[in-house]
Amino acid sequence: MAFDDFIPSGNQAVNPGVYDIENEGIDPEGTLWRALVEAAPWTDKSLVDLGCGAGWWLPKYSDAAELYGVEPDETLLDIARGRDSKAKILHGSAEHIPLADDSVDVVHARFAYFFPHPTYDVSPGLREVARVLRPGGTLVVIDNDTVRGEFAKLLKVSVAAERQGENTYTRQWWTEQGAETRAIMSSWEFQSRSDLESVIRLEFPSEVAENWLAEHPERTGLSYGYLLHIWVKPGA
C-alpha cells in the first residue's frame, strides 16, 4: 500500500548501512538522549517511533511497556523487524498510523515528515498523532537546528535547508500549535575518518561534501544542533 504523504528519504533509503553508521555517531555525550527522556519519559508506557526507518533506534526504547515502529518505506520494514527489539513493526505513515484512538503515551518523530514550510502543510500528521495519543500524551519531534552548529552551516549551503524550512518558520508554526521548542547542542563523532566521510557524502550534495571534507582533513566529527518540538495532547 502506498501513502500519499510518503516521500522516500534521500539518506536511509539510499544506503541503510551508511545510515546505521550515522546513527552510531549521533550524540556521543548523550545530551540529546537526556533531553528526550526529560521531555517525555517512556518507561512502562506505550511509545511509537514514527518513521522508524530501518529500526536502529528501537532497541534503545526497551524500557517502554509497548513499543511500535511505524514506517512507510516497505523496503526498510524487514530490516527493522530484524533488530533485537520487542517492537511491533507496522506499515504506516504520519498521516496513516495503524493504531487505535487514545492508545499510546509518547510519539517520537525523528527527521520524518514534520518539516513545516509555507509550501508543505504538516497539520494532517499532527491531527493523526493527536488521534492515537492518549490525553496528556506527548509528541516529540527531533528536528535540525538550522542556525547553531557546524551541521547547520552545511545545511545552509545545501538544497536540504530549503526543503526542511528555516528555524523562524518552523518555530512559529509549532508555537501556533501550542508546542514548546527546546534547542539542544550536541555533536556527531565517528570511529574513523572514513565513517565520517561516508556519512557526509550521504547527507550532502557532492560539491558541498567534498569542500567541507577538504577544509577539515583531520576531523572525525562535528558540532550538531537539534530542535525538540514538544506537543502535549490536551485533556489529561
Side-chain angles (χ1 to χ4, degrees), residues 15-34:
N15 194 324
V18 172
Y19 200 71
D20 272 6
I21 293 173
E22 179 176 324
N23 278 318
E24 290 168 2
I26 286 176
D27 192 43
E29 60 270 47
T31 307
L32 173 63
W33 192 252
R34 289 190 294 272

Side-chain angles (χ1 to χ4, degrees), residues 45 102 104-105 130 133-138 231-236:
K45 297 182 179 181
D102 302 329
V104 298
D105 300 300
L133 278 174
R134 296 186 177 102
T138 306
W231 182 85
V232 179
K233 180 176 177 177

Side-chain angles (χ1 to χ4, degrees), residues 3-212:
F3 298 106
D4 55 11
D5 62 325
F6 170 51
I7 301 172
S9 69
N11 43 33
Q12 185 166 206
V14 173
N15 194 324
V18 172
Y19 200 71
D20 272 6
I21 293 173
E22 179 176 324
N23 278 318
E24 290 168 2
I26 286 176
D27 192 43
E29 60 270 47
T31 307
L32 173 63
W33 192 252
R34 289 190 294 272
L36 291 174
V37 173
E38 180 182 342
W42 57 82
T43 299
D44 298 328
K45 297 182 179 181
S46 298
L47 182 142
V48 175
D49 187 349
L50 183 59
C52 70
W56 192 91
W57 285 81
L58 292 171
K60 296 173 74 67
Y61 301 119
S62 60
D63 48 352
E66 295 179 299
L67 179 59
Y68 301 94
V70 175
E71 173 57 41
D73 190 338
E74 293 181 276
T75 68
L76 300 175
L77 293 174
D78 284 343
I79 304 175
R81 292 183 178 117
R83 301 287 181 180
D84 182 15
S85 171
K86 64 181 181 182
K88 299 175 183 177
I89 308 302
L90 305 173
H91 186 217
S93 72
E95 294 181 8
H96 306 88
I97 302 174
L99 293 169
D101 296 359
D102 302 329
S103 60
V104 298
D105 300 300
V106 181
V107 175
H108 280 183
R110 192 175 42 260
F111 309 118
Y113 179 83
F114 287 104
F115 301 121
H117 190 272
T119 62
Y120 184 47
D121 180 17
V122 300
S123 299
L126 182 57
R127 288 194 295 269
E128 179 69 346
V129 169
R131 180 186 67 79
V132 302
L133 278 174
R134 296 186 177 102
T138 306
L139 166 67
V140 183
V141 174
I142 300 96
D143 196 0
N144 289 317
D145 189 330
T146 61
V147 174
R148 302 190 311 152
E150 291 173 298
F151 190 86
K153 293 179 181 179
L154 279 164
L155 279 178
K156 287 180 180 178
V157 293
S158 169
V159 293
E162 176 59 25
R163 286 200 305 271
Q164 290 190 6
E166 295 295 331
N167 273 7
T168 50
Y169 185 89
T170 300
R171 283 176 176 269
Q172 178 182 349
W173 190 90
W174 282 108
T175 297
E176 290 172 354
Q177 313 316 309
E180 174 192 359
T181 296
R182 300 178 186 175
I184 309 297
M185 180 53 67
S186 183
S187 67
W188 278 355
E189 186 60 45
F190 298 97
Q191 295 295 317
S192 67
R193 171 70 180 187
S194 63
D195 283 351
L196 170 70
E197 291 177 356
S198 65
V199 170
I200 294 295
R201 287 169 177 150
L202 177 67
E203 290 290 351
F204 295 100
S206 178
E207 182 177 0
V208 173
E210 298 309 324
N211 286 344
W212 191 89

